[in-house]
Amino acid sequence: MQRLLTTTVLVGLLVATAAAFAVTERLKLTKSPLMPGTKVSKVFSPTCSCARGRANIRIKLRRADALTVTVLDAGKNAVRTLVADVPARRGLNYFHWDGRTDGGVPARDGTFYAEVHLANQHQTIVLPNRIALDTTKPLVKEVTLSRDEFSPDEDGQADFVRIKYDLSKPAHLLLYFDGRRILLTHVHQASGSVSWKGVAQGASLPAGTYTLEVGARDLAGNSTPVSDRWRIHVRIRFVQLATHRVVAPAGGRFAVGVSTDAPRYSWQLGKRKGVASGPVLRLRASDRRGRYTLTVTERGHTDRAAVIVR
């Protein structure tokens, strides 16, 4: 009798195992009610006043159903019900979360998930994709320059200034001139460096001293406040004479300082021309009294001085 009971139990276990296996295999063959194309925003900031000011939840259904979409926090607690038992068509359906709770107050920064309940199919699915709510603005902690004076004339000598930065969080670095953005880095990191060649709004700036502002923007769209941007001062110079008025005796020699990083530059005084190098240009004045123009040129950039011969 005991042996018969054992055999019966064994047979029952085998039948139950087979049934469970069959159910498992059938579930494996059952297609998910959500199709590829279901996506959620990775990160957003309700305070950024930008395109990422809300979380987008895109649900692609295999067939029409009645949906309830709920936002859950990291502990899988309900934070906000976006829609409840609303008809949803087959294909793409769009929902949005503004970062507020069911009580109407802003949710705290953190990680959230979208839960989808399909009433007709009696299924509830928590999407594995994380939604990061981030309202913290990136701040510039430190900025250093490789040089405060450069000449972007493509001669291989000090053609750019390298800006090394340290931010409070990973973000894209932004560079502003005259209130307008002139540079945005492709990298998203808390520290790094970027080179600037004196270009603003697609055009090269002329020689002069400029004040630039350094800020940042993170992936959620949060930007450094204008009041907290780091200001830097740089000078663009190509070729510059130390003085723009020289007095020399007729037939006498005179010298003019030339500021340039070019190894050679061209000069013209009256009808005479030449090529020189070094920080001091030494020339002989005309034998005739009068006013002459000294022109110094380096790779298309020019500076002039009046030479008064007495």
Side-chain angles (χ1 to χ4, degrees):
M1 181 66 178
Q2 184 177 1
R3 182 175 181 181
L4 177 60
L5 180 60
T6 302
T7 301
T8 302
V9 171
L10 179 60
V11 171
L13 288 174
L14 290 174
V15 171
T17 301
F21 178 78
V23 170
T24 301
E25 291 302 306
R26 185 166 64 252
L27 289 175
K28 288 181 179 180
L29 296 175
T30 301
K31 293 183 178 180
S32 169
L34 304 185
M35 298 174 63
T38 297
K39 294 182 179 180
V40 300
S41 297
K42 293 182 179 180
V43 60
F44 78 111
S45 173
T47 61
C48 75
S49 299
C50 64
R52 294 187 178 180
R54 63 183 185 178
N56 299 312
I57 301 171
R58 187 176 75 178
I59 299 173
K60 190 172 185 180
L61 296 179
R62 196 170 296 279
R63 65 172 184 262
D65 209 314
L67 293 187
T68 297
V69 181
T70 307
V71 176
L72 310 178
D73 62 17
K76 300 302 189 294
N77 302 303
V79 173
R80 175 78 175 272
T81 300
L82 301 181
V83 294
D85 204 28
V86 297
R89 64 182 180 180
R90 179 182 182 275
L92 289 174
N93 295 267
Y94 297 89
F95 305 94
H96 310 285
W97 181 41
D98 61 3
R100 293 183 175 273
T101 68
D102 281 329
V105 299
R108 293 183 178 180
D109 287 7
T111 301
F112 298 86
Y113 298 88
E115 178 188 80
V116 182
H117 176 69
L118 302 98
N120 299 337
Q121 301 177 64
H122 306 289
Q123 289 194 51
T124 300
I125 301 173
V126 177
L127 302 182
N129 314 71
R130 297 180 179 180
I131 303 173
L133 190 159
D134 180 6
T135 60
T136 303
K137 294 176 173 59
L139 300 178
V140 182
K141 297 168 60 178
E142 186 176 7
V143 175
T144 56
L145 304 178
S146 60
R147 53 177 65 91
D148 55 14
E149 182 179 276
F150 67 110
S151 55
D153 51 9
E154 299 184 357
D155 65 352
Q157 302 290 326
D159 287 331
F160 59 88
V161 58
R162 184 170 295 279
I163 304 169
K164 187 177 180 181
Y165 60 90
D166 186 19
L167 308 176
S168 62
K169 62 185 296 192
H172 298 284
L173 186 80
L174 303 175
L175 192 63
Y176 299 87
F177 169 62
D178 199 21
R180 302 178 65 183
R181 193 186 79 199
I182 60 174
L183 185 146
L184 166 66
T185 61
H186 295 292
V187 296
H188 172 262
Q189 55 193 29
S191 61
S193 64
V194 63
S195 298
W196 183 59
K197 295 185 176 182
V199 175
Q201 312 307 328
S204 297
L205 294 176
T209 300
Y210 298 93
T211 298
L212 307 178
E213 294 180 322
V214 180
R217 186 176 67 200
D218 63 20
L219 293 181
N222 300 302
S223 296
T224 304
V226 175
S227 59
D228 290 330
R229 292 177 188 169
W230 196 291
R231 288 164 182 79
I232 58 177
H233 306 281
V234 292
R235 179 170 177 260
I236 296 176
R237 71 104 169 88
F238 299 100
V239 59
Q240 183 174 357
L241 298 178
T243 180
H244 294 94
R245 187 176 187 274
V246 178
V247 178
R253 300 187 66 82
F254 65 92
V256 179
V258 180
S259 175
T260 179
D261 59 18
R264 297 169 69 83
Y265 49 86
S266 302
W267 62 268
Q268 180 173 351
L269 179 60
K271 295 183 179 181
R272 290 184 293 151
K273 299 180 180 179
V275 177
S277 61
V280 180
L281 174 61
R282 303 180 189 278
L283 298 173
R284 185 177 64 82
S286 173
D287 294 330
R288 301 177 59 182
R289 295 179 180 180
R291 181 187 179 95
Y292 300 85
T293 298
L294 170 63
T295 302
V296 177
T297 303
E298 184 270 319
R299 298 181 70 87
H301 301 282
T302 301
D303 198 12
R304 295 178 175 86
V307 178
I308 311 301
V309 180
R310 295 177 178 175

